Amino acid sequence: MVDALFPNPIFGAGFPRASQILKFLAAQDNTEIHFLALWEKRSIRKKRLVSLLPSNVQATCNVNQDNLEKILISKLEAADTLWVSRFPIYKRIMDIREKYPESFSHIKIIYDSECIETLRVQRQSAISGSPIPDSEFQQLLKNEMALALQADHVIAVSQSEREVFLTHGCASVLVVGYQVNVTKVLKPAAGRIGLLFVGRLKDDGSPNVDSINWFAEQCFPELKRDGIVFHLVGAIAKSLSKKLQGVGFKVSGQIDDLQPVFDSARLFVAPTRFAAGIPIKLLDAAAAGLPIIATRLLCSQLGWGEDTDMLVADSEKEFIKKIKMVISNEAAWKSLQQNAHARVQQEYLDFAFQESMGLMFDVLSGGDEEI
């Protein structure tokens, strides 16, 4: 398995889902896994790493773009399946495959897309004021799909993205979503205060960093005047933490047990302006009993009802108006809480994840049949 980081659920950015997939595969009989992480720094502590991984998962630290080729080729000798997550990593490995085809001749390749990268780039360029021309977008998407066709099986995170892969000729595409941990008792609005965001905020230019910077500049000054506090939880760059601490944000960094954090907040805010895949952070918030306000992009990714399952806003005026409304309207708050909680129970309970991953493992261990 090759991914950007060792799959610690508190990282956000798709790693909670990656952790679930790794644990499922490691729990299957007669399975041994070697894990390569491309972004992990040399400073990672070995004990911490071991605590994150099942006992039958080995790991190679300090993998980077310079030594990936050599390490990967050596590990493939004893492997029968190569599971690759995220398009930039997959693209690099397909380049290696082209250079050393004999090393891949016995390998079944699983491409876990995590998201369709071209869709994310298209949305990012649009909000930056320099939209990608349609002809260029189509070519980028065609190139991404052409690489996906080289995998034996493709994993998508949503049905809508599965349809994109199928439309471009990928014959074997399975949806593997996310398995939520749903709280059984919903805590009422009384005693809750402030706004909450949980996610990785370490990478400049990422959807999370862009969204929080935009919200801090465009929306939060007026909300702060009403005494509203915004709590940020997750790995955060020092420069961003310093910038936000001085303007009314509470910055906590990574927290292992998030349920008390969800229970203390009044509203989860996700002002994401560009993204693809599925917004795991919204699923976790809804499962924990916390109502949500997010952009229409995230709402459409989930296929939920606007202003019924979650509040939806794109402009600063919409965010400010709806946040103030739901903070002061307990009936509206309770309706949003119950509706979102019901949706995750309907769509993201254990059986759906287990069923799709079970099918995937049957394919891996049983032959070349399409999914």
Side-chain angles (χ1 to χ4, degrees):
M1 298 188 75
V2 186
D3 202 344
L5 296 171
F6 295 108
N8 188 340
I10 67 175
F11 287 163
F15 293 107
R17 173 179 171 273
S19 176
Q20 292 176 355
I21 290 173
L22 176 61
K23 289 178 179 177
F24 179 94
L25 293 174
Q28 307 310 302
D29 292 339
N30 303 316
T31 301
E32 295 182 6
I33 300 173
H34 201 105
F35 199 100
L36 307 181
L38 267 63
W39 296 352
E40 207 68 72
K41 296 181 179 179
R42 294 179 183 273
S43 60
I44 186 170
R45 293 178 294 175
K46 188 69 175 179
K47 288 184 178 180
R48 178 59 174 160
L49 166 60
V50 170
S51 72
L52 297 176
L53 302 177
S55 60
N56 60 332
V57 178
Q58 297 179 322
T60 298
C61 301
N62 305 327
V63 184
N64 55 51
Q65 293 292 348
D66 296 328
N67 63 22
L68 171 62
E69 182 177 294
K70 180 179 180 180
I71 293 173
L72 179 65
I73 294 300
S74 69
K75 300 303 178 186
L76 288 181
E77 294 177 2
D80 53 30
T81 302
L82 174 62
W83 184 296
V84 186
S85 298
R86 304 171 199 271
F87 181 69
I89 298 172
Y90 175 71
K91 184 177 185 299
R92 173 74 175 105
I93 288 178
M94 290 300 98
D95 290 341
I96 297 173
R97 183 194 191 192
E98 185 175 359
K99 187 176 180 181
Y100 301 100
E102 67 283 356
S103 296
F104 290 77
S105 60
H106 65 292
I107 293 291
K108 186 177 294 184
I109 298 177
I110 311 299
Y111 171 39
D112 181 14
S113 62
E114 195 262 330
C115 76
I116 295 177
E117 184 75 10
T118 303
L119 298 181
R120 178 155 56 192
V121 171
Q122 180 194 39
R123 290 158 182 156
Q124 184 175 9
S125 67
I127 67 167
S128 70
S130 302
I132 298 175
D134 185 63
S135 59
E136 182 180 344
F137 164 74
Q138 294 298 335
Q139 187 59 52
L140 288 171
L141 184 60
K142 182 179 178 180
N143 294 344
E144 183 172 349
M145 294 297 111
L147 280 176
L149 282 166
Q150 297 183 31
D152 294 285
H153 306 287
V154 175
I155 297 178
V157 296
S158 67
Q159 186 60 39
S160 62
E161 294 202 355
R162 178 177 186 264
E163 293 299 327
V164 176
F165 284 111
L166 292 174
T167 299
H168 286 82
C170 295
S172 183
V173 188
L174 176 70
V175 175
V176 176
Y178 180 61
Q179 178 179 339
V180 297
N181 181 22
V182 180
T183 185
K184 295 180 179 179
V185 179
L186 294 178
K187 183 181 177 182
R192 294 174 177 264
I193 59 171
L195 312 176
L196 175 67
F197 174 86
V198 178
R200 183 179 174 85
L201 293 167
K202 286 188 72 70
D203 311 308
D204 287 343
S206 70
N208 284 350
V209 171
D210 169 82
S211 68
I212 294 303
N213 272 320
W214 176 83
F215 192 86
E217 295 168 4
Q218 302 298 324
C219 305
F220 194 63
E222 181 170 337
L223 296 170
K224 181 186 174 184
R225 286 195 288 270
D226 287 353
I228 297 173
V229 176
F230 197 166
H231 188 187
L232 302 179
V233 176
I236 185 169
K238 289 183 179 179
S239 57
L240 182 59
S241 176
K242 184 177 180 180
K243 170 186 173 182
L244 297 177
Q245 286 277 20
V247 292
F249 285 78
K250 176 185 176 183
V251 180
S252 294
Q254 295 177 349
I255 297 175
D256 289 333
D257 183 7
L258 290 172
Q259 188 62 52
V261 177
F262 286 127
D263 284 343
S264 65
R266 187 81 169 192
L267 186 66
F268 192 93
V269 180
T272 306
R273 303 194 296 168
F274 63 93
I278 55 171
I280 288 175
K281 53 184 169 286
L282 300 197
L283 300 177
D284 284 336
L290 183 60
I292 299 160
I293 183 169
T295 53
R296 285 178 175 82
L297 169 62
L298 298 190
C299 186
S300 67
Q301 287 175 352
L302 292 178
W304 287 9
E306 290 192 15
D307 295 336
T308 54
D309 299 324
M310 57 189 285
L311 290 178
V312 172
D314 284 331
S315 69
E316 57 268 31
K317 288 184 178 179
E318 281 185 300
F319 269 105
I320 292 168
K321 179 181 178 180
K322 291 185 177 182
I323 288 172
K324 288 184 176 182
M325 179 278 296
V326 76
I327 284 179
S328 62
N329 187 329
E330 189 165 334
W333 184 94
K334 185 176 182 180
S335 176
L336 289 165
Q337 180 196 46
Q338 292 177 338
N339 291 348
H341 193 256
R343 288 301 293 256
V344 292
Q345 290 188 86
Q346 293 166 7
E347 300 167 9
Y348 293 94
L349 286 182
D350 294 358
F351 74 88
F353 179 84
Q354 298 288 336
E355 183 177 39
S356 57
M357 280 302 300
L359 176 59
M360 184 76 251
F361 189 78
D362 288 344
V363 170
L364 293 182
S365 56
D368 295 322
E369 63 268 27
E370 293 177 1
I371 300 169

